[in-house]
Amino acid sequence: MRRYSEEEILELLAAYRQQQDLRLRDRIVLNYTNLVESIARRFSGASEPMEDLAQEGYIGLITAIELYDPKKNVKFSTYATHFIIGQIKHYLRDRGKIIKEPAWLQELNLRLNRISDMLTQQLGRTPTYGEIAEKMGMREEEVAELMTTREVFRVTSIDGFRENEDGSAHSYGERHDIADQAVAFQLPIEDRIMLETAMKKLKALEQQVLVEFYFKDLNQTEIAQKLGISCNYVSHLIRNSTRKLRKILTTEDLRTTQVQLAQLRQEFDMALCEDPSVIVDPLTKLYNRHYFDMRLQEELNRARRINSEVAVILLRMEGLQAFTHYHGTLWGDEAVQLSAQLLRQTVRRSDIVTRYATDTFAVILPYTGSTASAVLQRIRATFEDLLKEKGWNKGHSPLCFAYSVAWFPMEANHPATLLRLLEERLQPPSSSLQKAA
C-alpha cells in the first residue's frame, strides 16, 4: 500500500471532516499502522499482549483523526502520537500494571546521559542525535529510538517526544496556560492540574520558553530572536527548566505514594483493631502469611521504583511436629514463641518478621541485597545457641533449623520466583541432624 505524504494526509483529513466518509478515515488509519505498532512495542515491558496494546493505540489514532484541527498548526503525526501513547497509558493505568525498565536499558540510558551531558558542555548547546550516536558507537536511528523509549519509562512523562529541526530531542511538557492545549490533547484532569501547579513554580521566562519550544513548535533560534536572548541561553533555559519541572513532578508523585502508603497502613491498623487474626498470628504475635504476601509485593514494587534491593530470609524449625507430639503442645508452643521473640530481637526494627507457616518464619529486609547473607549468619549463630541452651537439639525428637536467603532483583524479579528459590534452598543442616541422631 502506498504511503501518503503529510500534505496528502491533511487533504484526506479535510475531506473526512466534510464528508464523514469512513472509507477516508480507514485510509488514514492504514497509513499510520507502523506508527501505532512501533509505539505499542515500547510498552512491551508492561506484560500485556501486543495485540491489546496495538488495539488501544488504534483507538487513540482514531480519536486523533476525529479531533484534529489544522488551525492548531501541529503536524498530524505529532498530534496522533500524543493520542496513541495517551490511550495505551490509560489502558495500562486501568489495568493496574507497572512498567518495569529492563536493567540493560537502564545501563544504556545512564551511558547516554553521561555522553549527552559531556557533549552539551563541550558544544555549548544540546547535541544532535548524530553527535550522540558517534560517541556511543551506535546508528543515529538507534539513538532516536532509545530517546523515544526512555519517555515510556519516565515516571513524570505525560506524553511522548519529538525531534527538533536541528535533530536534538526533548520530551513533551506543558505550558503555564494549558487549558486550550489540554483540551486538544485530551490530558486527564489529574495530570492537567498537576502540570499547571508545577508550571506555576517556574520563573516567567522559563514558562514562556517552554511554551514556545514545546507547543508553538519553534526551534531555539526562533525563540532567541523572538525573546531577544542568545541561543545558548535558550538551550540553558530549556534544559534547566525541564529538569526543575521533572523534579517538581517527581516530588509530587512521591508525596502521592506516601499518602497511599499511609492509607494502606491505616487500613491495616483498622483491620487489626477489628480482627487481629486478619494480619497477626495469635500464637507468636508476629504478622501472618497473608500480611507477608501483601508486604512482599509492596516492598518489591517500591524497590522497582527507586532501583533498590530487597532480601528475604526463611527460617524453618525442622522436626517441630515430632517434637510437639513427643513433648506435648505446651512445649511445642513455647519453642515457637521463643524462636519468634528471638528472631524479632536479632534483626532490625525496619525488617518485617512474619510467621510464614506453622513451622516457618520469614523476614523481609528492605534496602538489603547480598549483605543479607551476613544477617543470616548472625541469625544462624543466635539460634544454634538457643538450641544448645534449651537442649532442644538432643534427645528423642530433636529440633534443628533450616535457613535460606534470596534477594531481589539480582536473583529473582517476581514474588513467586523469589519464594520458589527460597524453598529450593531451604535445606536442613545435615550435620545437626547427624549429631542429634
Side-chain angles (χ1 to χ4, degrees):
M1 175 184 168
R2 182 176 75 87
R3 294 289 173 184
Y4 295 104
S5 66
E6 189 74 26
E7 291 76 14
E8 291 172 322
I9 289 292
L10 290 176
E11 292 176 2
L12 288 173
L13 286 167
Y16 174 69
R17 195 181 187 91
Q18 292 178 354
Q19 304 171 21
Q20 291 297 302
D21 186 345
L22 296 181
R23 290 174 298 180
L24 293 174
R25 190 185 71 179
D26 291 343
R27 288 166 65 183
I28 300 171
V29 169
L30 290 174
N31 194 71
Y32 290 100
T33 55
N34 291 341
L35 175 64
V36 172
E37 292 173 4
S38 66
I39 292 175
R41 282 194 294 271
R42 299 175 204 162
F43 291 87
S44 58
S47 301
E48 288 291 327
M50 279 298 302
E51 294 81 4
D52 293 350
L53 296 174
Q55 182 177 358
E56 294 297 323
Y58 283 116
I59 294 174
L61 175 59
I62 291 173
T63 305
I65 294 172
E66 298 290 344
L67 298 177
Y68 179 72
D69 183 359
K71 296 178 182 178
K72 294 287 186 179
N73 197 27
V74 177
K75 289 178 63 176
F76 177 74
S77 58
T78 302
Y79 184 79
T81 298
H82 277 274
F83 281 90
I84 296 168
I85 292 176
Q87 183 65 34
I88 294 175
K89 283 186 176 182
H90 282 304
Y91 168 74
L92 293 174
R93 185 180 302 161
D94 292 340
R95 301 281 292 178
K97 296 293 183 182
I98 294 175
I99 305 174
K100 180 180 182 298
E101 184 176 6
W104 64 266
L105 186 57
Q106 294 180 17
E107 295 176 3
L108 197 58
N109 273 321
L110 288 174
R111 182 165 169 248
L112 187 147
N113 287 338
R114 288 195 297 268
I115 290 176
S116 180
D117 290 343
M118 179 189 70
L119 289 174
T120 299
Q121 293 179 357
Q122 292 177 355
L123 302 173
R125 58 172 172 81
T126 303
T128 65
Y129 287 157
E131 292 165 340
I132 296 175
E134 183 179 356
K135 286 291 184 180
M136 294 189 70
M138 299 171 63
R139 297 197 307 271
E140 186 172 344
E141 298 80 14
E142 293 173 334
V143 172
E145 181 66 20
L146 178 60
M147 295 292 287
T148 305
T149 302
R150 65 196 290 173
E151 295 301 322
V152 173
F153 295 99
R154 184 167 294 159
V155 175
T156 58
S157 177
I158 301 297
D159 297 304
F161 93 113
R162 71 173 181 84
E163 183 174 321
N164 299 330
E165 292 181 5
D166 63 356
S168 59
H170 65 272
S171 60
Y172 275 99
E174 284 294 333
R175 63 187 177 109
H176 174 59
D177 181 17
I178 65 171
D180 55 336
Q181 297 287 350
V183 171
F185 289 116
Q186 296 284 292
L187 283 177
I189 185 65
E190 62 272 15
D191 290 343
R192 206 159 70 226
I193 293 172
M194 183 178 291
L195 282 168
E196 287 176 348
T197 303
M199 287 290 288
K200 290 176 182 178
K201 296 180 181 180
L202 299 178
K203 296 178 181 178
L205 183 58
E206 293 174 330
Q207 296 178 35
Q208 188 174 2
V209 168
L210 289 182
V211 170
E212 303 291 344
F213 192 48
Y214 287 110
F215 285 94
K216 296 187 178 180
D217 220 22
L218 300 183
N219 61 34
Q220 296 182 14
T221 302
E222 292 170 335
I223 297 173
Q225 293 174 350
K226 183 175 182 178
L227 301 182
I229 56 180
S230 68
C231 288
N232 284 342
Y233 191 42
V234 171
S235 176
H236 168 79
L237 286 173
I238 293 172
R239 186 169 59 253
N240 279 12
S241 57
T242 304
R243 187 182 299 119
K244 286 163 66 175
L245 189 61
R246 186 174 299 123
K247 184 177 180 180
I248 293 169
L249 290 170
T250 302
T251 302
E252 294 299 325
D253 184 70
L254 178 60
R255 288 174 182 167
T256 301
T257 302
Q258 290 172 339
V259 170
Q260 293 172 345
L261 184 59
Q263 291 174 343
L264 183 62
R265 292 277 186 268
Q266 186 178 10
E267 291 175 5
F268 280 146
D269 292 339
M270 291 175 62
L272 183 59
C273 293
E274 295 174 1
D275 184 7
S277 64
V278 173
I279 58 174
V280 174
D281 174 60
L283 178 63
T284 62
K285 306 307 178 186
L286 298 178
Y287 291 117
N288 59 19
R289 175 63 185 274
H290 177 63
Y291 183 84
F292 169 84
D293 290 337
M294 289 191 294
R295 280 305 299 272
L296 180 61
Q297 184 68 65
E298 178 187 325
E299 293 301 331
L300 295 192
N301 289 344
R302 189 208 314 275
R304 285 190 184 96
R305 289 196 301 270
I306 65 176
N307 196 24
S308 181
E309 297 175 308
V310 177
V312 178
I313 292 175
L314 284 191
L315 174 66
R316 185 166 64 201
M317 303 177 70
E318 297 290 340
L320 177 63
Q321 185 175 358
F323 179 88
T324 302
H325 181 75
Y326 183 79
H327 294 285
T329 304
L330 292 179
W331 274 46
D333 289 349
E334 180 187 6
V336 172
Q337 288 173 322
L338 284 177
S339 298
Q341 182 180 358
L342 187 61
L343 182 59
R344 189 155 44 187
Q345 294 171 351
T346 306
V347 299
R348 303 170 301 182
R349 292 185 62 183
S350 58
D351 298 331
I352 301 104
V353 183
T354 66
R355 192 178 186 187
Y356 183 80
T358 303
D359 58 354
T360 308
F361 302 104
V363 185
I364 303 174
L365 298 92
Y367 311 105
T368 306
S370 58
T371 54
S373 298
V375 180
L376 180 60
Q377 292 302 321
R378 184 171 70 248
I379 293 174
R380 186 192 299 270
T382 301
F383 277 87
E384 290 299 321
D385 291 342
L386 175 66
L387 292 176
K388 292 177 183 178
E389 178 186 343
K390 292 294 184 179
W392 292 341
N393 58 340
K394 301 176 182 178
H396 184 273
S397 299
L399 284 176
C400 68
F401 289 93
Y403 310 88
S404 65
V405 62
W407 51 88
F408 167 92
M410 296 301 295
E411 293 190 314
N413 58 8
H414 187 273
T417 309
L418 188 66
L419 294 178
R420 191 180 307 116
L421 183 60
L422 285 163
E423 294 282 0
E424 291 172 355
R425 292 177 175 177
L426 196 59
Q427 299 296 330
S430 57
S431 59
S432 299
L433 292 176
Q434 292 172 356
K435 290 180 182 179

